[in-house]
Amino acid sequence: MASADQLINAFTTLLVTIDPPGLAPLFLGLTTGMSRAQRTQVALRGSTIAFIILAVFALFGAGVLGVLGISIGAFRIAGGLLLFWIAFEMVFEKRQDRKEKATEVAITKDHIENVAVFPLALPLIAGPGAISATILLAGTLATSIGKLQLIGVIAANLLLTFLMLLVAERLDRFLGVTGRAILTRLLGVILAALAAQFVVDGAKAALNLISATPH
């Protein structure tokens, strides 16, 4: 069973990588012209699909790595570096620009009824960062109970994301440009620290594996 600190760390990591406040203005852009009921339907469907994607990676991601011959330590280092890059983008306002470009492409190429799947569920909610974080966290919560707890943490994050999308219009007005910039940078710094911890843990695991290998 995971400790309270592990669960808090897992919740924080996923919360920062999914970034529900940052999704709010993008969600509004995706659902322009929709009624409130239609927006609710898109938000619910997108959040549900994203939960299924992340839950599958929480349960089977480590197994896939094993088949490919990739150690958890190596993946922690790679995933930590990826999360650090996302944190860098958040601090220097690069990530929002990239997400907005993905949103614009989807609006022109996909029918409006499909936006819940692409790009809302994938890649805006369950993007590479969230998937990497999920596999990394699954490696630290290796027991069956730990996996169930991680799925609970994922569900809590996606519920929060769904609620954030429901109040997207009000949240966007409340935060404003300055508020969004401050919040994104603050979350970016927190994610950078968590990413650095993943790299440190991965390096320790890799070094232990090397030292344990018979020569």
Side-chain angles (χ1 to χ4, degrees), residues 116-166:
V117 181
F118 178 84
L120 184 59
L122 189 74
L124 293 182
I125 300 178
I131 290 171
S132 298
T134 298
I135 296 176
L136 291 172
L137 292 167
T140 64
L141 303 170
T143 65
S144 298
I145 295 176
K147 290 284 198 305
L148 290 175
Q149 288 176 313
L150 177 57
I151 289 174
V153 168
I154 293 170
N157 267 282
L158 270 297
L159 177 61
L160 183 60
T161 300
F162 170 65
L163 295 175
M164 197 69 72
L165 295 181
L166 288 185

Side-chain angles (χ1 to χ4, degrees), residues 170-182:
R170 274 178 279 180
L171 180 70
D172 196 46
R173 278 202 306 267
F174 174 75
L175 287 176
V177 176
T178 304
R180 283 198 306 273
I182 292 171

